[in-house]
Amino acid sequence: MQNKGFFITLEGGEGAGKSTLLEGLTRELLSKGFPVVKTREPGGSPIAEKIRQILLHGVGMAPKAELLLFLAARAQHLQEKVVPALEAGSIVICDRFSDSTIAYQSFARGLPLEEVETLDAIARSHLKPQLTLLLDIDPEEAFKRISSKGRDRLEKESVAFHKKVREGFLFLAKRDEERVILLDARRPTQEVLDKALQAVLEVI
Ligand code: T5A
């Protein structure tokens, strides 16, 4: 799929600092005059936000249903928001995308990698991010940053689950070194933002 814009995704485990980085990057790029659309998954459009509620708070969800709901939300979000913004020439920055599906639904949940990748490619109509910033941090350290109250269904998973998520992300970073920039998420917020901004400005 060809487009005029630039597609950036932010990835990492819970509490790694993706939302913080999304705000900072958007602010910096807008101040430099770039057209930026910020968004997130699951969600980012009205129908996808409804699916998000089911995903984060549904009870007794089967792993395959979970996978297909994330992908349904993705297909809707892309058609409604991401693709039009890219076609209009914007830089789209998305908090989580396909790497999260592979890390959570395949590495951590245990669904076969090849099947997850095939279904994901269908959901995203083969659209790929041109740059991914992966915020890497040990999950036990990251969980200290987020309140134990009001945790959602995935945040309540075990430490072992979240360690497998991290393994998944690191596997993807190694497999696709050209696209994925690994950032040390333990560093201070401003330092993470500076490194991320430098990486973005080098490629856009
Ligand atoms: N999921 C998602 C799947 O399983 N499959 C999929 O395909 C997709 C797309 C989404 C859930 O869905 C799963 C993954 C998730 O479990 P979400 O609400 O988007 O849920 O969850 P998160 O992305 O994990 O959101 P969080 O808010 O928990 O984490 P963030 O955005 O990474 O962290 P952030 O920026 O909110 O920061 C957390 C705290 O740390 C501080 C912040 O101020 C904040 O208090 N902080 C730092 N502190 C010290 N140093 C830094 N560098 C810091 N950066 C931020």
Side-chain angles (χ1 to χ4, degrees):
M1 194 185 294
Q2 293 294 317
N3 50 61
K4 293 183 282 174
F6 200 89
F7 188 26
I8 300 171
T9 57
L10 310 183
E11 297 281 8
E14 319 290 327
K18 296 173 301 300
S19 313
T20 306
L21 181 59
L22 180 68
E23 294 306 320
L25 264 185
T26 303
R27 189 183 60 241
E28 291 293 332
L29 291 170
L30 285 173
S31 77
K32 292 181 192 310
F34 292 103
V36 180
V37 171
K38 65 172 175 166
T39 190
R40 69 167 179 183
E41 288 207 355
S45 75
I47 290 174
E49 287 290 335
K50 284 190 178 166
I51 300 173
R52 178 187 174 91
Q53 289 311 312
I54 301 170
L55 277 163
L56 298 190
H57 306 290
V59 177
M61 194 177 299
K64 274 190 193 160
E66 180 184 88
L67 169 67
L68 294 169
L69 284 172
F70 275 115
L71 298 182
R74 176 158 306 141
Q76 183 68 31
H77 176 224
L78 286 177
Q79 177 173 305
E80 211 173 320
K81 187 167 182 183
V82 176
V83 171
L86 290 172
E87 283 174 353
S90 296
I91 297 172
V92 175
I93 313 178
C94 187
D95 185 345
R96 295 195 183 277
F97 194 61
S98 296
D99 295 325
S100 283
T101 314
I102 293 163
Y104 282 79
Q105 277 64 55
S106 182
F107 276 76
R109 197 65 89 200
L111 294 174
L113 178 61
E114 204 181 323
E115 285 179 23
V116 172
E117 291 198 300
T118 301
L119 292 169
D120 173 60
I122 295 168
R124 60 183 165 79
S125 302
H126 301 274
L127 177 76
K128 276 183 78 173
Q130 283 133 302
L131 177 71
T132 296
L133 301 167
L134 171 58
L135 293 171
D136 179 52
I137 185 168
D138 180 82
E140 282 170 293
E141 204 171 323
F143 269 108
K144 290 181 195 153
R145 294 175 177 176
I146 50 179
S147 154
S148 54
K149 279 188 201 160
R151 285 195 178 165
D152 64 43
R153 195 173 62 81
L154 286 137
E155 285 169 342
K156 283 183 194 152
E157 289 287 348
S158 65
V159 172
F161 178 95
H162 289 288
K163 284 192 184 285
K164 285 187 207 152
V165 168
R166 186 186 190 195
E167 270 172 41
F169 280 130
L170 292 175
F171 163 85
L172 292 166
K174 204 166 174 194
R175 192 177 72 173
D176 203 347
E177 281 174 341
E178 289 219 345
R179 171 179 63 91
V180 184
I181 303 285
L182 193 61
L183 298 171
D184 184 349
R186 295 168 304 175
R187 305 302 302 160
T189 311
Q190 186 60 46
E191 191 180 316
V192 174
L193 174 59
D194 290 345
K195 289 221 164 82
L197 185 62
Q198 191 188 341
V200 170
L201 292 175
E202 272 171 26
V203 291
I204 56 175

mmCIF file of all heavy atoms in Angstrom, residues 27-46:
data_model
loop_
_atom_site.group_PDB
_atom_site.id
_atom_site.type_symbol
_atom_site.label_atom_id
_atom_site.label_comp_id
_atom_site.label_asym_id
_atom_site.label_seq_id
_atom_site.Cartn_x
_atom_site.Cartn_y
_atom_site.Cartn_z
ATOM 1 N N ARG A 27 4.066 16.850 20.224
ATOM 2 C CA ARG A 27 4.316 18.269 20.524
ATOM 3 C C ARG A 27 5.549 18.772 19.762
ATOM 4 O O ARG A 27 5.512 19.815 19.111
ATOM 5 C CB ARG A 27 4.518 18.401 22.046
ATOM 6 C CG ARG A 27 4.583 19.803 22.577
ATOM 7 C CD ARG A 27 4.852 19.812 24.081
ATOM 8 N NE ARG A 27 6.112 19.166 24.436
ATOM 9 C CZ ARG A 27 6.220 18.097 25.215
ATOM 10 N NH1 ARG A 27 5.155 17.524 25.734
ATOM 11 N NH2 ARG A 27 7.411 17.575 25.481
ATOM 12 N N GLU A 28 6.634 18.024 19.816
ATOM 13 C CA GLU A 28 7.884 18.449 19.165
ATOM 14 C C GLU A 28 7.726 18.544 17.646
ATOM 15 O O GLU A 28 8.185 19.502 17.023
ATOM 16 C CB GLU A 28 9.017 17.465 19.494
ATOM 17 C CG GLU A 28 9.477 17.495 20.928
ATOM 18 C CD GLU A 28 10.166 18.791 21.307
ATOM 19 O OE1 GLU A 28 10.759 19.442 20.426
ATOM 20 O OE2 GLU A 28 10.103 19.165 22.489
ATOM 21 N N LEU A 29 7.083 17.530 17.061
ATOM 22 C CA LEU A 29 6.954 17.520 15.594
ATOM 23 C C LEU A 29 6.000 18.620 15.124
ATOM 24 O O LEU A 29 6.256 19.277 14.110
ATOM 25 C CB LEU A 29 6.498 16.144 15.106
ATOM 26 C CG LEU A 29 7.552 15.027 15.267
ATOM 27 C CD1 LEU A 29 6.939 13.662 14.987
ATOM 28 C CD2 LEU A 29 8.753 15.254 14.341
ATOM 29 N N LEU A 30 4.920 18.847 15.882
ATOM 30 C CA LEU A 30 3.990 19.937 15.514
ATOM 31 C C LEU A 30 4.720 21.277 15.591
ATOM 32 O O LEU A 30 4.557 22.143 14.723
ATOM 33 C CB LEU A 30 2.767 19.948 16.442
ATOM 34 C CG LEU A 30 1.708 18.852 16.206
ATOM 35 C CD1 LEU A 30 0.645 18.892 17.310
ATOM 36 C CD2 LEU A 30 1.042 19.005 14.837
ATOM 37 N N SER A 31 5.550 21.442 16.625
ATOM 38 C CA SER A 31 6.259 22.722 16.790
ATOM 39 C C SER A 31 7.259 22.949 15.656
ATOM 40 O O SER A 31 7.644 24.076 15.373
ATOM 41 C CB SER A 31 6.950 22.789 18.155
ATOM 42 O OG SER A 31 8.118 22.010 18.117
ATOM 43 N N LYS A 32 7.680 21.867 15.003
ATOM 44 C CA LYS A 32 8.588 22.009 13.843
ATOM 45 C C LYS A 32 7.814 22.119 12.534
ATOM 46 O O LYS A 32 8.396 22.125 11.455
ATOM 47 C CB LYS A 32 9.547 20.812 13.779
ATOM 48 C CG LYS A 32 10.551 20.783 14.931
ATOM 49 C CD LYS A 32 11.488 19.600 14.827
ATOM 50 C CE LYS A 32 12.299 19.393 16.089
ATOM 51 N NZ LYS A 32 12.995 20.572 16.610
ATOM 52 N N GLY A 33 6.478 22.151 12.635
ATOM 53 C CA GLY A 33 5.651 22.383 11.440
ATOM 54 C C GLY A 33 5.206 21.132 10.699
ATOM 55 O O GLY A 33 4.626 21.229 9.619
ATOM 56 N N PHE A 34 5.456 19.949 11.267
ATOM 57 C CA PHE A 34 5.013 18.720 10.600
ATOM 58 C C PHE A 34 3.534 18.461 10.903
ATOM 59 O O PHE A 34 3.095 18.681 12.034
ATOM 60 C CB PHE A 34 5.830 17.505 11.087
ATOM 61 C CG PHE A 34 7.277 17.521 10.677
ATOM 62 C CD1 PHE A 34 8.275 17.869 11.582
ATOM 63 C CD2 PHE A 34 7.640 17.175 9.381
ATOM 64 C CE1 PHE A 34 9.610 17.877 11.206
ATOM 65 C CE2 PHE A 34 8.980 17.177 8.997
ATOM 66 C CZ PHE A 34 9.959 17.535 9.905
ATOM 67 N N PRO A 35 2.778 17.965 9.905
ATOM 68 C CA PRO A 35 1.396 17.572 10.191
ATOM 69 C C PRO A 35 1.403 16.216 10.905
ATOM 70 O O PRO A 35 1.922 15.235 10.375
ATOM 71 C CB PRO A 35 0.761 17.452 8.791
ATOM 72 C CG PRO A 35 1.904 17.197 7.862
ATOM 73 C CD PRO A 35 3.164 17.731 8.501
ATOM 74 N N VAL A 36 0.862 16.172 12.117
ATOM 75 C CA VAL A 36 0.921 14.939 12.910
ATOM 76 C C VAL A 36 -0.473 14.508 13.340
ATOM 77 O O VAL A 36 -1.287 15.335 13.770
ATOM 78 C CB VAL A 36 1.785 15.128 14.188
ATOM 79 C CG1 VAL A 36 1.843 13.827 15.001
ATOM 80 C CG2 VAL A 36 3.184 15.579 13.830
ATOM 81 N N VAL A 37 -0.752 13.224 13.220
ATOM 82 C CA VAL A 37 -1.984 12.655 13.765
ATOM 83 C C VAL A 37 -1.555 11.610 14.783
ATOM 84 O O VAL A 37 -0.810 10.689 14.459
ATOM 85 C CB VAL A 37 -2.842 12.002 12.659
ATOM 86 C CG1 VAL A 37 -4.007 11.217 13.260
ATOM 87 C CG2 VAL A 37 -3.361 13.065 11.698
ATOM 88 N N LYS A 38 -2.000 11.781 16.042
ATOM 89 C CA LYS A 38 -1.651 10.773 17.047
ATOM 90 C C LYS A 38 -2.854 9.882 17.295
ATOM 91 O O LYS A 38 -4.001 10.340 17.271
ATOM 92 C CB LYS A 38 -1.145 11.422 18.337
ATOM 93 C CG LYS A 38 -2.149 12.239 19.056
ATOM 94 C CD LYS A 38 -1.633 12.689 20.418
ATOM 95 C CE LYS A 38 -2.694 13.613 21.023
ATOM 96 N NZ LYS A 38 -2.561 13.891 22.398
ATOM 97 N N THR A 39 -2.569 8.626 17.538
ATOM 98 C CA THR A 39 -3.669 7.685 17.742
ATOM 99 C C THR A 39 -3.175 6.498 18.556
ATOM 100 O O THR A 39 -2.017 6.461 18.977
ATOM 101 C CB THR A 39 -4.280 7.286 16.375
ATOM 102 O OG1 THR A 39 -5.485 6.573 16.596
ATOM 103 C CG2 THR A 39 -3.319 6.459 15.531
ATOM 104 N N ARG A 40 -4.083 5.544 18.818
ATOM 105 C CA ARG A 40 -3.681 4.399 19.645
ATOM 106 C C ARG A 40 -4.451 3.146 19.269
ATOM 107 O O ARG A 40 -5.519 3.216 18.664
ATOM 108 C CB ARG A 40 -3.943 4.702 21.118
ATOM 109 C CG ARG A 40 -5.437 4.765 21.441
ATOM 110 C CD ARG A 40 -5.656 4.754 22.919
ATOM 111 N NE ARG A 40 -7.081 4.827 23.255
ATOM 112 C CZ ARG A 40 -7.543 4.894 24.489
ATOM 113 N NH1 ARG A 40 -6.715 4.923 25.494
ATOM 114 N NH2 ARG A 40 -8.840 4.936 24.724
ATOM 115 N N GLU A 41 -3.879 2.001 19.661
ATOM 116 C CA GLU A 41 -4.584 0.722 19.503
ATOM 117 C C GLU A 41 -4.534 -0.049 20.818
ATOM 118 O O GLU A 41 -3.529 0.054 21.529
ATOM 119 C CB GLU A 41 -3.935 -0.106 18.387
ATOM 120 C CG GLU A 41 -4.222 0.464 17.027
ATOM 121 C CD GLU A 41 -4.179 -0.604 15.926
ATOM 122 O OE1 GLU A 41 -3.831 -1.761 16.198
ATOM 123 O OE2 GLU A 41 -4.516 -0.244 14.791
ATOM 124 N N PRO A 42 -5.537 -0.850 21.165
ATOM 125 C CA PRO A 42 -6.788 -0.892 20.424
ATOM 126 C C PRO A 42 -7.559 0.400 20.650
ATOM 127 O O PRO A 42 -7.511 0.975 21.726
ATOM 128 C CB PRO A 42 -7.527 -2.089 21.051
ATOM 129 C CG PRO A 42 -6.976 -2.166 22.450
ATOM 130 C CD PRO A 42 -5.550 -1.719 22.359
ATOM 131 N N GLY A 43 -8.236 0.860 19.607
ATOM 132 C CA GLY A 43 -9.018 2.098 19.714
ATOM 133 C C GLY A 43 -8.729 3.012 18.557
ATOM 134 O O GLY A 43 -8.447 2.569 17.453
ATOM 135 N N GLY A 44 -8.807 4.313 18.822
ATOM 136 C CA GLY A 44 -8.454 5.300 17.807
ATOM 137 C C GLY A 44 -9.591 5.706 16.883
ATOM 138 O O GLY A 44 -9.445 6.647 16.110
ATOM 139 N N SER A 45 -10.715 4.984 16.944
ATOM 140 C CA SER A 45 -11.902 5.373 16.166
ATOM 141 C C SER A 45 -13.107 4.868 16.968
ATOM 142 O O SER A 45 -12.952 3.981 17.819
ATOM 143 C CB SER A 45 -11.877 4.747 14.772
ATOM 144 O OG SER A 45 -12.201 3.380 14.860
ATOM 145 N N PRO A 46 -14.310 5.422 16.720
ATOM 146 C CA PRO A 46 -15.442 5.075 17.605
ATOM 147 C C PRO A 46 -15.702 3.565 17.737
ATOM 148 O O PRO A 46 -15.841 3.048 18.852
ATOM 149 C CB PRO A 46 -16.625 5.809 16.962
ATOM 150 C CG PRO A 46 -15.983 6.990 16.278
ATOM 151 C CD PRO A 46 -14.655 6.501 15.776
#
